[in-house]
Amino acid sequence: MNSEAKSPKLQAISIIKIGGNIIDDPAELKQFLSDFSQIEGHKILVHGGGKSATKMAQSIGLTPQMIDGRRITDAAMLDVAVMIYAGQINKNIVAQLQAQDTNAMGFSGADGNLIQSDKRNHPTIDYGFVGDVKKINTGLLETLVSNGIVPVFCAITHDKQGQLLNTNADTIASELAIALSTIFEVTLNYCFEKPGVLFDSEDDSSVIATIDTVLYSKLKEEKAIHSGMIPKLDNCFNSLSQGVQKIRIGHHRMLQNKNTVCTTIQL
C-alpha cells in the first residue's frame, strides 16, 4: 500500500477502533466517547456497525449474507451500509463528540480521497462491493489532525472511479496506523466489549496479557483463538511489522486507566 507523505517522526497519535457492540449500547457508547474525548494529543476514531446494518437490512426485507465471518455486499446491501455507517452512526458519534468539546469531523474514504480501495477480487467468492485498502492520503490526514481536527472514519471507502465500497473497519484502522507511522508515533487500540483476548471466551478473567507471533501460532493450533479474532490479530501483526509502535486490544477502560487489564500485541 502506498502512502502520500514521508517526513520525520513527529508527535504521538492514537488510533482507536470501536466495535459494533459498543455502538449498539447507547450508554456504553456515551461512556466510550467520554473516555475518547479525554485522550490527549492527536487521535483518530474508526467505527464499524455491522449489527445496525443487519437490522436495517432485515427491516426492509433484505437477507444479509456472510461467508467465513465476512459480509457479502450486493448493491442493495451497500446502500444500507452507506446509510447506516456513513450516515446514522457516523454523524451520531460526531455530534456526541462535539458535545464533549472534541472537534470531530466524520469521513468516509471518499471524502478528500482519504482512503482509496480496490474492489475485492477473489478467485472463488464474489464479495460484491467490498473494498481492500490500497492507498491512504496521509498528507491530508496530517493537515487535519495537526489543525486540531479529530477524524471519525466509518467503514466505507471508494475506488476513485465513483464507486463506494464496504470495507472492514479493523483493516481501515490498521492501514491508517501503518500509513501514519511514517510521520507519527502510532498507538493502535482495538476497543470492544471484552477486557482483551481471552484464553477462554466464556471467562472474562482469562485475559492473555501479551501475544507475540510464537504464542499466536500456538493458540491458533490449539483453536484457543478462532473466528473473527484471527483477522483482527493478523491485522495487528501486519501493522507492527510495518512500523506501528504499539497495539492493544481490550475494553475502552484501558484508554484512561493504564492499570486496566488488556492484551498487548508484539512481534
Side-chain angles (χ1 to χ4, degrees), residues 37-58:
S37 293
Q38 294 175 55
I39 296 172
E40 296 182 355
H42 302 314
K43 53 196 172 188
I44 293 174
L45 179 58
V46 180
H47 66 81
K51 290 184 180 179
S52 299
T54 297
K55 288 178 184 176
M56 175 60 76
Q58 291 171 338

Side-chain angles (χ1 to χ4, degrees), residues 145-157:
V145 299
S146 296
N147 282 278
I149 300 298
V150 177
V152 178
F153 281 98
C154 68
I156 300 294
T157 62

Side-chain angles (χ1 to χ4, degrees), residues 55-62 76 80 83:
K55 288 178 184 176
M56 175 60 76
Q58 291 171 338
S59 75
I60 59 174
L62 299 177
V80 171
M83 283 191 293

Side-chain angles (χ1 to χ4, degrees), residues 192 194-208 211 219 224-225 229 263:
F192 67 148
K194 296 292 186 178
V197 183
L198 307 175
F199 279 112
D200 178 357
S201 61
E202 302 301 317
D203 180 5
D204 281 3
S205 69
S206 66
V207 175
I208 307 170
I211 300 178
L219 292 170
I225 288 178
M229 190 55 71
T263 299

